[in-house]
């Protein structure tokens, strides 16, 4: 019959209309109940997957809550504990970068010998394709993906060529943006340090052992060659086994991602403010984001001027 | 499907043990390693008889891919002693028997021509034009051999190994200038020869005019006396390149008589960026995020096709869980694509924007899921060789189940209810744009279009990849082969995808996601969650062709390795591009307004057409 299509269509529009308001009404007194206030009239809202009705978000007053794995452009990590750049200027990120938009100048000491530190580090973010390969392959966890997507400037060059200063963020910022991954990394670092410690101890013990054997060998030169050697290698074997086991454990916990309880616990330990509620953590993340963005914008403006 | 083929030994003198030596004597002059897809070297002068024989007697009715390799810079051992510069490569499948391809290589020196396959398979049309355009290999007997992706004033043939692009730096990435002395330099200032632009000899931009003849359009009758006493003349009209319903920048050159289309030719290439050249400068892994940018609606299935091709070369297995994740992503993508396509068919019918936005509402939810696991909504870059880059996040499966069991079926039912009985959709769609299944196959069309013509050909069933053979699903077909059928088939296919998704989400096992650890790749560095190793591996010498049933049709990747860290040849057989073969034949006789919907129902994405 003519006209049914029209009626059906209007019915759908009406349903969307009412759905939108039902959805809002459930949140009375405020539509922004679970949102995070950024500043006076900006907030982050999280859309549940079950939301009905209108899905639109009123950007820029409202923003989406970004998932942890969100990738935009890379940032360099300043290790606040060690007080140094994590980057060693190894150049791996520049090699894997598909559009080749990373440019690194390795630093030199006063004798002109290269040192493991970047003197300059540029990313042409107009070219960066946000693939995150640099992040995946950096062996030192020194480059990570930022969530800051508001990069608009008036000129591409030089404003969109980010220098090391513009790229660098403190470790805490990364920890706030990527809590799960950060926790997993911390856990892995801890385990590696532990394995390293055990390895060193074993080495020391083996050295002592050797010295003792040498002394014994001097005392009884004829017997030592046959007797001491197999004994020592058995001990070495045990040490190697222990190291391998520790390594395997580290690998295993790494592969499980941040999902196991052990890792989550480590996360709480590793974070500066442990066991905060999720909302607070979000808030912290966003506060930091905001601060960072403001800083960056300022820096950019200065460099553009 | 067979393993990656080792590159062939030099062709030997014709001997009776070679395939088809009885039927077409002297056609096949060499063979590839025994474990390969049937890969045969063909004498150029015997190509057409062999193709005819394959089509008529052996049932190989579907010419999937025609491409070319320029071996002039080949470093591998397999080509020792072979002087011909180019290999034109054909992959031919059978839609009746299913299974793997016949792969033919025709070797040609630079100065010689190859007989055009268009007389046997009309679908070779656009692909041969592409080979001519990008490689400069001429096809004898092609009805319309002119450039297709670049323009007529373009200098050189850009996929030849000795052609250098603007801002050329080095043959292969990584470029040396980036580390350790990589002070950033503005590109424009950096190169001694400026932007590396060259022009054909004697080329003068002011006096130059397009020397082309648009063959189907120019050959269409220009005078028409349809209305008795009224003496009318047909005129040539350009639809596009900037037209809201051409889905990007795309031009339809038409000869029309009143409102009726007498001839139509697609003109493309406005978005051409020489994806394949970039791919051949890249290391293998680097191509992965570039594939996202082909059909930017379906980055997940683009990733999947490329990963499968390189995995074939590498011979690595993918762990169970990653297999399931891949299928889930590919099918979610199909739902996105089909709802999108339905929405935009309506758009082209004149229902501007509103229905399209309703149709793609659920897409936002699926993109949220993509973003959560991969970090991006459109450019997912999620697959890796040997798996996927990261595991699902906690709670992801539950959210996906909610979508698959509740929300998506509801949305599809709503679309069905609203549109399938709608008078306007029926009136505009029924009987418009008809082309028979035989014609479509002959034109190398694939995907929903041929299923809407009644041919149940789906690569997921015909030549199963990943783990599609484990799922219970149907291939819906409709007999009408018109706009309406092309709309409705997409709805039915989205429902089948949901069926697959339900099973996959039910059966997905826990476990490791990425096979890097067990693969025979160079062990590189890697963070704990990223892929380990594998950014500078070297696949063994050989070539591989992997194809998947992408939402738009058959998406194939043809890769050749000469045992280097960079792809020697990287070719994308893109369904959007090749399906456009049918646009002209489909539109003739219909109205201008119909041509817009006919194009919409082919469902193209210009990022993939132009590459
Ligand atoms: S960011 Fe990482 S990969 Fe890049 S140079 Fe620094 S340490 Fe190496
Ligand atoms: S995200 Fe990708 S494109 Fe961007 S700098 Fe990193 S590797 Fe390069």
């Amino acid at each position: 019959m003519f006209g049914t299509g029209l009626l059906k269509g209007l019915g759908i529009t009406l349903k969307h209309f009412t759905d939108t308001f039902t959805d809002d009404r459930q949140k009375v007194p405020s539509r922004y109940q679970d949102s995070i206030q950024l500043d006076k009239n900006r907030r982050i809202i999280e859309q549940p997957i079950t939301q009905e009705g209108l899905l639109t978000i009123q950007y820029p007053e409202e923003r989406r809550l970004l998932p942890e794995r969100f990738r935009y452009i890379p940032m360099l990590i300043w290790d606040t504990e060690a007080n140094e750049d994590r980057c060693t200027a190894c150049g791996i990120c520049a090699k894997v970068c598909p559009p080749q938009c990373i440019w690194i100048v390795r630093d030199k000491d006063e004798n002109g010998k290269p040192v493991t530190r970047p003197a300059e580090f540029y990313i042409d973010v107009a070219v960066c394709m946000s693939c995150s390969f640099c992040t995946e392959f950096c062996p030192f966890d020194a480059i990570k993906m930022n969530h800051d997507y508001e990069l608009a400037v008036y000129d591409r060059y030089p404003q969109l060529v980010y220098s090391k200063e513009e790229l660098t963020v403190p470790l805490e910022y990364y920890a706030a943006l990527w809590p799960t991954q950060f926790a997993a990394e911390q856990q892995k670092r801890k385990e590696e340090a532990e394995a390293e410690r055990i390895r060193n101890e074993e080495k020391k013990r083996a050295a002592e052992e050797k010295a003792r054997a040498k002394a014994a060998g001097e005392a009884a030169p004829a017997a030592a060659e046959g007797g001491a050697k197999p004994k020592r290698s058995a001990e070495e074997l045990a040490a190697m086994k222990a190291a391998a086991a520790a390594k395997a454990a580290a690998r295993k916990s790494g592969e499980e991602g941040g999902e196991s309880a052990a890792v989550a616990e480590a996360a709480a330990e590793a974070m500066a403010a442990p066991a905060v509620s999720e909302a607070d953590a979000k808030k912290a993340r966003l506060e930091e984001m905001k601060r960072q963005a403001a800083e960056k914008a300022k820096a950019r403006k200065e460099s553009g001027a | 499907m067979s393993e990656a083929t080792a590159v062939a030994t030099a062709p030997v003198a014709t001997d009776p043990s070679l395939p088809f030596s009885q039927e077409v004597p002297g056609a096949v002059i060499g063979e590839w390693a025994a474990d390969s897809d049937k890969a045969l070297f063909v004498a150029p002068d015997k190509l057409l008889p062999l193709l005819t024989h394959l089509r008529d007697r052996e049932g190989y009715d579907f010419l999937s891919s025609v491409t070319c390799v320029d071996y002039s810079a080949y470093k591998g051992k397999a080509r020792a002693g072979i002087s011909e510069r180019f290999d034109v490569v054909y992959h031919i499948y059978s839609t009746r028997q299913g299974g793997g391809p016949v792969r033919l290589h025709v070797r040609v020196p630079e100065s010689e021509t190859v007989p055009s396959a268009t007389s046997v398979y009309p679908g070779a049309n656009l692909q041969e034009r592409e080979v001519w355009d990008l490689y400069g290999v001429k096809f004898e007997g092609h009805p319309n051999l002119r450039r297709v992706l670049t323009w007529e004033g373009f200098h050189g043939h850009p996929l030849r190994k000795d052609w250098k692009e603007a801002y050329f730096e080095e043959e292969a990435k990584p470029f040396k200038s980036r580390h350790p002395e990589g002070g950033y330099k503005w590109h424009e200032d950096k190169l001694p020869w400026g932007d590396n632009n060259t022009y054909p000899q004697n080329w003068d931009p002011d006096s130059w005019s397009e020397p082309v003849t648009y063959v189907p359009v120019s050959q269409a009758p220009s005078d028409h006396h349809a209305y008795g006493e009224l003496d009318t003349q047909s005129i040539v009209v350009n639809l596009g390149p900037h037209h809201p319903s051409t889905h990007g920048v795309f031009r339809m050159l038409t000869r029309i008589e009143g409102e009726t289309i007498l001839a139509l030719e697609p003109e493309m290439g406005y978005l051409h960026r020489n994806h394949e050249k970039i791919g051949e400068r890249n290391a293998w892994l680097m191509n992965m995020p570039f594939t996202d940018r082909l059909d930017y609606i379906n980055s997940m299935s683009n990733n999947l096709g490329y990963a499968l091709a390189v995995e074939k070369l590498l011979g690595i297995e993918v762990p169970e869980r990653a297999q399931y994740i891949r299928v889930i992503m590919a099918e979610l993508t199909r739902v996105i694509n089909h709802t999108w396509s339905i929405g935009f068919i309506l758009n082209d019918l004149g229902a501007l924007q509103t229905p399209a936005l309703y149709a793609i509402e659920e897409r936002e939810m699926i993109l949220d899921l993509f973003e959560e696991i991969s970090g991006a909504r459109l450019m997912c870059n999620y697959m890796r060789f040997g798996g996927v880059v990261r595991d699902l996040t906690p709670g992801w499966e539950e959210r996906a189940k909610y979508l698959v069991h509740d929300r998506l079926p509801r949305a599809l039912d709503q679309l069905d209810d609203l549109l399938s009985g709608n008078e306007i959709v029926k009136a505009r769609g029924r009987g418009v744009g008809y082309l028979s299944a035989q014609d479509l196959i002959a034109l190398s069309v694939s995907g929903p279009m041929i299923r809407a013509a009644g041919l149940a050909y789906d690569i997921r069933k015909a030549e199963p990849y990943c783990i599609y053979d484990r799922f219970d699903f149907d291939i819906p077909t409709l007999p009408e082969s018109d706009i309406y059928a092309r709309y409705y088939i997409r709805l039915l296919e989205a429902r089948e995808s949901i069926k697959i998704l339900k099973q996959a989400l039910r059966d997905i096992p826990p476990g490791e996601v990425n096979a890097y650890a067990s693969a025979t790749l160079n062990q590189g560095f890697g963070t704990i969650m990223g892929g380990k190793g594998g950014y500078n591996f070297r696949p063994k010498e050989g070539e591989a062709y992997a194809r998947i049933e992408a939402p738009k049709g058959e998406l194939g990747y043809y890769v050749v390795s000469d045992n280097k860290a960079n792809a020697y040849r990287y070719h994308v057989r893109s369904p959007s591009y090749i399906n456009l073969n049918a646009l002209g034949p489909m539109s003739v006789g219909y109205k201008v307004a119909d041509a817009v919907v006919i194009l919409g129902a082919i469902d193209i994405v210009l990022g993939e057409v132009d590459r």
Side-chain angles (χ1 to χ4, degrees):
Chain A
M1 203 193 74
F2 279 112
T4 43
L6 187 68
L7 291 178
K8 273 187 203 160
L10 285 174
I12 289 185
T13 311
L14 184 69
K15 182 159 182 308
H16 262 78
F17 185 75
T18 49
D19 277 351
T20 307
F21 282 95
T22 326
D23 202 69
D24 269 3
R25 237 204 355 264
Q26 281 161 0
K27 291 190 177 163
V28 167
S30 165
R31 158 157 202 220
Y32 298 114
Q33 227 176 57
D34 304 321
S35 71
I36 301 156
Q37 186 87 33
L38 268 190
D39 51 36
K40 210 164 119 251
N41 40 26
R42 289 185 201 206
R43 43 179 91 236
I44 304 266
I45 53 183
E46 189 176 11
Q47 282 186 310
I49 200 158
T50 50
Q51 177 165 350
E52 303 281 344
L54 195 66
L55 299 179
T56 322
I57 281 184
Q58 304 294 331
Y59 182 82
E61 288 82 14
E62 301 173 3
R63 284 140 204 267
R64 292 174 53 242
L65 180 65
L66 299 172
E68 173 173 340
R69 290 180 188 177
F70 182 79
R71 48 192 162 79
Y72 204 67
I73 56 151
M75 56 190 177
L76 288 173
I77 307 291
W78 174 263
D79 195 331
T80 28
E81 286 155 32
N83 218 14
E84 62 180 13
D85 283 314
R86 269 195 181 170
C87 176
T88 61
C90 71
I92 285 174
C93 54
K95 288 196 186 85
V96 296
C97 175
Q100 297 283 294
C101 66
I102 302 183
W103 305 70
I104 302 169
V105 180
R106 193 193 270 145
D107 211 359
K108 296 197 169 80
D109 63 12
E110 54 276 18
N111 305 325
K113 252 182 62 189
V115 293
T116 56
R117 185 174 62 221
E120 293 165 46
F121 196 113
Y122 299 98
I123 294 182
D124 187 339
V125 300
V127 173
C128 170
M129 62 201 296
S130 308
C131 67
S132 95
F133 281 166
C134 47
T135 306
E136 278 168 39
F137 291 103
C138 173
F140 301 99
D141 291 330
I143 188 165
K144 296 289 169 190
M145 296 310 274
N146 203 335
H147 289 184
D148 180 11
Y149 50 81
E150 290 174 323
L151 311 178
V153 285
Y154 282 104
D155 290 301
R156 199 193 131 186
Y157 183 75
Q159 277 95 320
L160 279 180
V161 181
Y162 282 15
S163 65
K164 190 173 142 218
E165 288 64 43
E166 286 169 286
L167 288 166
T168 303
V169 298
L171 187 60
E172 290 75 29
Y173 176 69
Y174 166 58
L177 284 189
W178 293 72
T180 324
Q181 168 141 355
F182 176 73
E185 282 170 15
Q186 287 301 99
Q187 175 77 1
K188 191 184 171 212
R189 277 166 177 269
K190 227 164 79 184
E191 272 159 18
E192 265 170 10
E194 183 66 16
E196 178 75 31
R197 195 182 59 77
I198 293 174
R199 231 182 353 260
N200 282 343
E201 249 169 42
E202 291 297 334
K203 233 192 241 157
K204 218 167 97 197
R205 255 228 320 274
E208 276 167 14
E209 200 65 39
K210 207 167 154 193
R212 244 205 327 272
K214 207 169 157 211
E218 270 161 14
E225 222 68 86
K229 212 176 176 188
K231 197 173 146 210
R232 198 158 66 213
S233 61
E235 262 174 18
E236 253 172 25
L237 233 60
M240 269 156 75
K241 236 190 220 159
K247 220 179 184 173
R251 201 175 330 124
K252 192 144 167 278
S253 74
E255 273 156 11
E256 275 164 14
E259 285 141 38
S260 72
V263 179
E265 262 169 41
E269 267 175 40
M271 297 279 288
V276 283
S277 80
E278 208 183 327
D280 284 349
K282 257 187 231 161
K283 216 174 268 175
R285 266 162 74 184
L286 295 163
E287 266 312 306
E288 187 56 41
M289 201 193 232
K290 201 176 68 187
R291 192 188 61 70
Q292 201 62 37
E295 232 167 60
K296 208 178 255 173
K298 207 173 121 221
R300 229 171 294 145
K301 220 186 272 158
E302 277 162 11
S303 78
Chain B
M1 188 167 281
S2 73
E3 295 296 291
T5 49
V7 167
T9 49
V12 293
T14 317
D15 79 62
S17 66
L18 287 169
F20 310 119
S21 61
Q22 300 299 312
E23 296 89 338
V24 194
V28 178
I29 50 175
E31 232 183 331
W32 293 66
D35 66 339
S36 69
D37 299 334
K38 280 190 206 165
L40 314 165
F41 288 98
V42 179
D45 53 336
K46 291 282 172 35
L47 176 68
L48 292 187
L50 182 63
L51 290 179
T52 315
H53 170 77
L54 283 172
R55 184 192 63 181
D56 296 339
R57 303 259 173 272
E58 311 268 336
Y60 284 95
D61 51 354
F62 179 61
L63 176 67
S64 159
S65 147
V66 180
T67 188
C68 184
V69 187
D70 172 7
Y71 278 109
S72 61
Y74 195 74
K75 304 263 171 39
K77 296 185 193 77
R79 296 265 318 172
I82 295 168
S83 61
E84 286 93 344
R85 178 168 183 183
F86 298 108
D87 270 22
V88 180
V89 185
Y90 302 78
H91 288 85
I92 311 171
Y93 290 86
S94 166
T95 58
R96 279 163 246 162
Q97 302 143 20
V102 174
R103 180 187 296 160
L104 307 177
H105 280 233
V106 178
R107 289 189 165 146
V108 265
E110 199 170 332
S111 50
E112 279 178 32
T113 60
V114 186
S116 164
T118 43
S119 58
V120 186
Y121 298 104
N125 180 358
L126 285 179
Q127 301 197 68
E128 285 184 349
R129 277 177 70 187
E130 182 187 323
V131 171
W132 155 245
D133 187 0
L134 303 182
Y135 279 100
V137 175
K138 275 212 155 115
F139 291 90
E140 188 117 30
H142 191 288
N144 189 13
L145 195 67
R146 52 189 184 86
R147 287 184 182 270
V148 58
L149 294 175
T150 60
W151 64 305
E152 295 294 329
F154 193 89
H155 191 206
H157 298 284
L159 272 181
R160 289 187 172 195
K161 287 290 175 185
D162 50 12
W163 189 90
K164 311 259 190 285
E165 64 274 28
Y167 303 114
F168 168 79
E169 279 194 64
E170 280 175 54
E171 288 294 339
K173 292 172 185 175
F175 298 145
K176 292 183 191 68
S177 63
R178 302 300 197 268
H179 173 84
E181 301 292 337
Y184 182 84
K185 286 192 210 78
W186 185 230
H187 272 62
E188 274 77 347
D189 302 337
K190 199 175 52 193
L191 293 163
W193 55 90
D195 54 7
N196 190 27
N197 274 341
T198 56
Y199 297 102
Q201 247 181 353
N202 303 328
W203 188 81
D204 173 21
D206 297 323
S207 61
W208 184 83
S209 72
E210 233 173 343
V212 293
T213 42
Y214 297 96
V215 174
V217 170
S218 62
Q219 285 172 0
S222 65
D223 290 317
H224 213 67
H225 304 279
Y227 305 106
E229 63 274 14
L230 261 184
D231 191 12
T232 59
Q233 246 199 350
S234 66
I235 50 169
V236 174
V237 172
N238 270 304
L239 300 179
H242 293 283
H243 185 278
S245 274
T246 51
H247 299 233
V249 203
F250 176 76
R251 184 158 64 112
M252 295 195 280
L253 190 73
T254 57
R255 179 174 282 282
I256 56 172
E257 157 88 35
E259 279 280 313
T260 309
I261 291 175
L262 302 180
L264 185 148
E265 250 194 290
E267 281 294 307
M268 62 282 256
Y270 298 93
L271 280 181
H272 181 59
R273 53 221 184 264
N274 218 342
H275 182 86
E276 292 173 12
K277 186 86 174 181
I278 299 173
E280 288 164 20
R281 300 246 187 268
N282 278 348
W284 293 94
L285 180 69
M286 290 178 185
N287 279 337
M288 192 59 84
F290 280 94
T291 64
D292 289 340
R293 278 107 178 136
L294 287 168
D295 173 359
Y296 38 78
I297 302 185
N298 302 316
S299 65
M300 286 285 191
S301 40
N302 299 342
N303 282 184
L304 177 58
Y306 180 56
L308 288 177
V310 178
E311 276 158 16
K312 252 182 168 184
L313 269 185
L314 292 168
I316 53 179
E317 293 291 318
V318 178
E320 265 311 272
R321 183 172 167 83
Q323 292 277 25
Y324 275 89
I325 294 178
R326 284 178 168 195
V327 167
I328 291 171
M329 297 311 155
E331 293 308 317
L332 281 175
T333 298
R334 196 182 311 277
V335 175
I336 291 183
N337 182 78
H338 284 356
T339 52
W340 175 280
S341 155
I342 289 170
F344 282 84
I345 288 177
L346 288 178
N347 214 17
D348 294 343
L349 280 173
L352 275 182
Q353 306 308 346
T354 313
L357 290 181
Y358 277 127
I360 62 171
E361 209 173 66
E362 270 61 33
R363 172 175 181 260
E364 292 302 318
M365 309 283 170
I366 300 176
L367 292 185
D368 277 348
L369 291 181
F370 284 178
E371 188 182 32
E372 190 177 323
I373 49 149
S374 74
R377 299 169 80 78
L378 293 184
M379 305 294 133
C380 295
N381 186 20
Y382 185 58
M383 314 272 172
R384 293 289 182 275
F385 312 129
V388 299
V389 62
R390 282 152 197 222
D391 203 350
L392 305 177
T393 48
W396 193 94
E397 283 168 53
E398 276 59 54
R399 283 191 285 281
K401 275 183 189 151
Y402 162 74
L403 276 191
V404 165
H405 285 272
D406 182 0
R407 190 136 186 163
L408 295 179
R410 181 149 51 93
L412 291 178
D413 287 348
Q414 194 187 49
L415 280 179
D416 194 1
D417 180 43
L418 182 65
L419 301 175
S420 301
N422 185 294
E423 306 90 41
I424 300 173
V425 176
K426 275 183 169 165
R428 291 289 310 277
R430 277 283 177 228
V432 176
Y434 175 79
L435 213 57
S436 72
Q438 284 87 337
D439 288 347
L440 287 172
I441 278 297
L443 287 166
S444 300
V445 175
S446 55
M449 299 257 292
I450 53 170
R451 294 190 283 274
L455 187 73
Y457 184 65
D458 186 319
I459 301 168
R460 290 173 294 174
K461 291 265 196 207
E463 197 191 358
Y465 52 94
C466 288
I467 47 166
Y468 276 107
D469 43 3
R470 296 189 199 166
F471 301 112
D472 169 34
F473 66 101
D474 299 323
I475 309 173
T477 57
L478 294 169
E480 293 93 353
S481 190
D482 55 13
I483 301 283
Y484 185 87
R486 283 170 209 147
Y487 143 71
Y488 198 56
I489 197 80
R490 296 204 158 90
L491 199 70
L492 298 178
E493 281 187 17
R495 288 211 173 110
E496 293 304 316
S497 290
I498 287 175
K499 236 194 222 168
I500 299 174
L501 280 167
K502 281 181 182 163
Q503 296 167 45
L505 282 166
R506 182 192 64 204
D507 298 341
I508 183 169
E512 179 141 348
V513 181
N514 200 307
Y516 276 125
S518 55
T520 49
L521 306 175
N522 295 352
Q523 287 292 315
F525 299 96
T527 55
I528 27 181
M529 286 181 159
K532 297 181 192 75
Y535 66 86
N536 60 352
F537 55 88
R538 291 153 193 262
K540 67 175 192 301
E541 234 183 302
E543 63 170 19
Y545 181 72
R547 54 178 198 152
I548 63 165
E549 185 67 40
K552 292 185 163 59
E554 175 180 331
L555 173 66
Y557 286 88
Y558 172 69
V559 285
V560 177
S561 164
D562 60 346
N563 192 19
K564 292 276 173 302
N566 304 73
Y568 186 76
R569 177 77 176 104
Y570 161 77
H571 173 66
V572 186
R573 186 252 183 236
S574 76
S576 295
Y577 177 66
I578 292 164
N579 286 354
L580 282 174
N581 271 323
L583 180 63
M586 252 196 278
S587 311
V588 171
Y590 299 99
K591 305 281 188 236
V592 172
D594 293 330
V596 173
V597 201
I598 290 170
L599 174 67
I602 297 180
D603 187 18
I604 58 166
V605 155
L606 268 303
E608 190 182 61
V609 173
D610 295 341
R611 280 159 296 145

